Amino acid sequence: QLVNTAPNTFEVQPIPWVNRVVGDDDTNKHPSFVGQKINQSFFHNNRLGFLSADTVSMSQSGDFFNMYHASAQTVVASDPVDLSANALKPVALHSVLPTTQGLVLFSANQQFLMGSNDGILTPSKTVIRAIANYEMDTVIDPVDTGTTINFISKTPSYTRVFAMVTRGENENPQVADIGRVVNEWIPSTMDTLIASAQNQFIAFSGQSSRYIYFFRQYVEGKDIKLQTWFNWLAPGTVQTIATDSDEFFAVT
């Protein structure tokens, strides 16, 4: 863990993980990521979480480094949450984004929503259900623009761009192919995707190209007033891009 120990001073320290103090491998199992490759970590609902294979493992509420139940006999609301995303196709979760409806989980061929009816994640109330079946790139993480979740899908020659809006626990999301109007315009060499919620745009770049591709929209309430695609030509091949408030950065 990276710890801020003094002004402008940070130290990398080992995490003091909490050992299991009650139960055994049957009554208080190890978290599912033990012995597996961890694909992503995240923080949500006052819990530290990890994605590995088809499982989501989250710590005790408020006790981020404790992945075990407090009792081997009963389950309380603050205990860790450890669930599997079940589907007909093999699932390998690689990305996660928090929304007001819960956690949106992404795999190569399917998307899931992890949440509960009252919005509070507990071991007994939390469920994972499939909400969409779109193919997506497993290397480039989806981004949140504040109103939509954007992710990409690649073909051998170009990149497709999708926008998803979640609609609640028992509703399928609305998904639009926003790149259809510029079909085959964005090359498949894109390796970076960023978003600016403040300026309502997403941007793509690839390390073999001098172009940065943008999709920008202007929204008032629920009405989309304007949508546009455009690109910038950088002075060199674009290694990475980033945005901070009203500033845009590119390393070429």
Side-chain angles (χ1 to χ4, degrees):
Q1 59 179 340
L2 188 63
V3 181
N4 184 200
T5 57
N8 300 320
T9 303
F10 295 85
E11 292 184 7
V12 178
Q13 303 174 355
I15 290 178
W17 295 104
V18 177
N19 293 323
R20 181 174 62 191
V21 295
V22 297
D24 52 30
D25 289 348
D26 293 323
T27 59
N28 196 358
K29 296 181 179 180
H30 297 303
S32 296
F33 62 78
V34 173
Q36 302 288 332
K37 177 184 176 181
I38 293 176
N39 295 322
Q40 194 169 94
S41 60
F42 62 94
F43 185 81
H44 179 69
N45 214 309
N46 208 28
R47 298 175 185 266
L48 177 65
F50 300 93
L51 303 183
S52 63
D54 63 345
T55 62
V56 183
S57 304
M58 302 181 72
S59 69
Q60 280 205 23
S61 178
D63 192 359
F64 310 135
F65 306 139
N66 188 352
M67 306 298 296
Y68 294 101
H69 291 254
S71 171
Q73 297 180 332
T74 61
V75 176
V76 297
S78 60
D79 276 343
V81 177
D82 200 316
L83 296 175
S84 175
N86 296 316
L88 296 177
K89 299 178 181 179
V91 175
L93 301 175
H94 61 84
S95 296
V96 56
L97 281 178
T99 66
T100 54
Q101 289 80 27
L103 289 171
V104 181
L105 309 171
F106 298 87
S107 69
N109 300 293
Q110 215 165 0
Q111 293 76 46
F112 303 85
L113 181 65
M114 177 177 176
S116 63
N117 290 330
D118 58 8
I120 302 174
L121 300 183
T122 65
S124 58
K125 296 181 180 179
T126 306
V127 296
I128 297 178
R129 68 179 186 88
I131 56 174
N133 295 279
Y134 286 86
E135 294 183 2
M136 67 173 296
D137 188 86
T138 59
V139 176
I140 301 177
D141 288 337
V143 295
D144 187 356
T145 62
T147 56
T148 62
I149 293 173
N150 294 96
F151 61 92
I152 69 171
S153 175
K154 289 186 177 181
T155 71
S157 57
Y158 64 93
T159 297
R160 303 179 66 184
V161 188
F162 295 92
M164 173 189 290
V165 178
T166 56
R167 298 193 298 165
E169 180 71 20
N170 297 312
E171 296 284 342
N172 289 328
Q174 293 178 335
V175 181
D177 185 357
I178 60 175
R180 181 179 295 274
V181 294
V182 290
N183 194 25
E184 301 185 20
W185 183 57
I186 305 173
S188 61
T189 54
M190 299 294 99
D191 54 35
T192 301
L193 169 62
I194 65 170
S196 172
Q198 178 169 314
N199 293 290
Q200 299 184 33
F201 73 76
I202 58 176
F204 312 81
S205 70
Q207 294 186 355
S208 61
S209 173
R210 293 177 58 190
Y211 284 99
I212 305 172
Y213 296 85
F214 290 85
F215 172 77
R216 189 171 187 179
Q217 64 181 6
Y218 176 64
V219 180
E220 285 187 357
K222 295 183 179 180
D223 297 328
I224 300 175
K225 300 295 185 180
L226 174 69
Q227 290 182 328
T228 181
W229 284 95
F230 59 95
N231 61 12
W232 289 350
L233 180 62
T237 54
V238 182
Q239 302 307 295
T240 189
I241 54 177
T243 181
D244 180 23
S245 297
D246 290 333
E247 292 186 301
F248 189 90
F249 303 91
V251 178
T252 65

